[in-house]
């Protein structure tokens, strides 16, 4: 399609406004060093890891992953073997990779169900850490729900209310 230089520039400049929630290394909160990236293939994950390594500033990142069965392959998952803080979230989706598939490649990963309330408590303890959520665009909506839940919990604490 023929696009003029002016139209091209206008399109690039409005990209963030039009597609604010694109799940490509998105900072999830202005107050936290928490990011989401929909990386779900080996090439995208390698690129994400390079970006995180560049910015981590001697902090060990916390990786929180969830992915589809067909994407949870050794070529992708082996990228996380050097890390000590790797968590996997098994969602209720039929297509989601299950516990055994992940642990066969990443045996030191802590696995949680997305329904497990203990995981939200764990997340609360990561507020001072660099946290990267990744592995699937489908995981994005789950992460956004957790962010809303944590925010409402913080608001309740700040007003002295108990949930």
């Amino acid at each position: 399609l023929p696009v003029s230089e002016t139209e091209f520039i206008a399109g690039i400049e409005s990209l963030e406004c039009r597609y604010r929630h694109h799940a490509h290394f998105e900072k999830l909160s202005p107050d936290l060093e928490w990011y989401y990236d929909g990386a779900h293939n080996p090439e995208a994950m390698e690129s994400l890891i390079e970006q995180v390594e560049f910015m981590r500033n001697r902090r060990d990142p916390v990786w929180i992953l969830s992915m589809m069965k067909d994407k949870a392959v050794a070529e992708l998952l082996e990228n996380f073997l050097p890390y000590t803080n790797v968590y996997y979230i098994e969602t209720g989706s039929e297509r989601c990779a299950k516990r055994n598939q992940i642990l066969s490649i990443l045996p030191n990963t802590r696995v949680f169900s997305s329904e497990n309330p203990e995981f939200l408590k764990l997340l609360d303890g990561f507020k001072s850490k660099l946290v990267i959520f990744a592995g699937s665009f489908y995981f994005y909506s789950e992460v956004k729900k957790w962010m809303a839940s944590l925010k409402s919990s913080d608001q309740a604490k700040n007003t002295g209310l108990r949930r």
Side-chain angles (χ1 to χ4, degrees):
L1 298 171
V3 177
S4 72
E5 184 176 345
T6 304
E7 292 169 321
F8 177 77
I9 291 169
I12 296 298
E13 288 174 343
S14 68
L15 192 61
E16 188 65 30
C17 178
R18 295 172 119 184
Y19 301 102
R20 286 184 22 221
H21 302 293
H22 49 73
H24 293 282
F25 208 72
E26 176 183 334
K27 187 166 186 180
L28 295 170
S29 168
D31 306 323
L32 302 170
E33 287 297 307
W34 289 15
Y35 298 87
Y36 189 91
D37 194 293
H40 61 279
N41 62 49
E43 296 81 14
M45 196 60 79
E46 286 173 24
S47 177
L48 171 60
I49 288 172
E50 284 177 22
Q51 186 170 1
V52 170
E53 285 300 309
F54 178 75
M55 67 180 285
R56 72 186 256 192
N57 195 22
R58 293 186 298 279
R59 291 186 296 167
D60 223 7
V62 174
W63 291 95
I64 301 175
L65 309 171
S66 187
M67 56 193 62
M68 301 295 115
K69 290 176 194 173
D70 61 319
K71 304 296 181 182
V73 295
E75 185 182 4
L76 186 146
L77 291 172
E78 287 173 349
N79 286 299
F80 298 98
L81 287 171
Y83 296 100
T84 56
N85 295 311
V86 180
Y87 298 82
Y88 183 78
I89 305 304
E90 189 176 304
T91 67
S93 167
E94 249 333 279
R95 291 190 53 214
C96 183
K98 303 300 181 215
R99 166 187 290 283
N100 293 341
Q101 183 178 356
I102 300 303
L103 292 176
S104 70
I105 301 166
L106 296 174
N108 296 322
T109 300
R110 291 185 60 193
V111 180
F112 287 87
S113 162
S114 62
E115 308 296 316
N116 187 338
E118 291 299 310
F119 184 70
L120 280 178
K121 290 180 189 172
L122 185 70
L123 274 181
D124 197 46
F126 293 153
K127 289 185 177 173
S128 65
K129 299 192 180 287
L130 172 61
V131 179
I132 311 297
F133 297 87
S136 171
F137 289 110
Y138 294 103
F139 188 37
Y140 185 73
S141 61
E142 193 74 37
V143 172
K144 293 302 272 187
K145 282 193 297 188
W146 293 335
M147 295 300 296
S149 178
L150 287 173
K151 187 175 182 177
S152 66
S153 174
D154 285 347
Q155 288 172 342
K157 286 177 193 174
N158 291 337
T159 60
L161 299 175
R162 299 265 180 216
R163 285 178 36 124

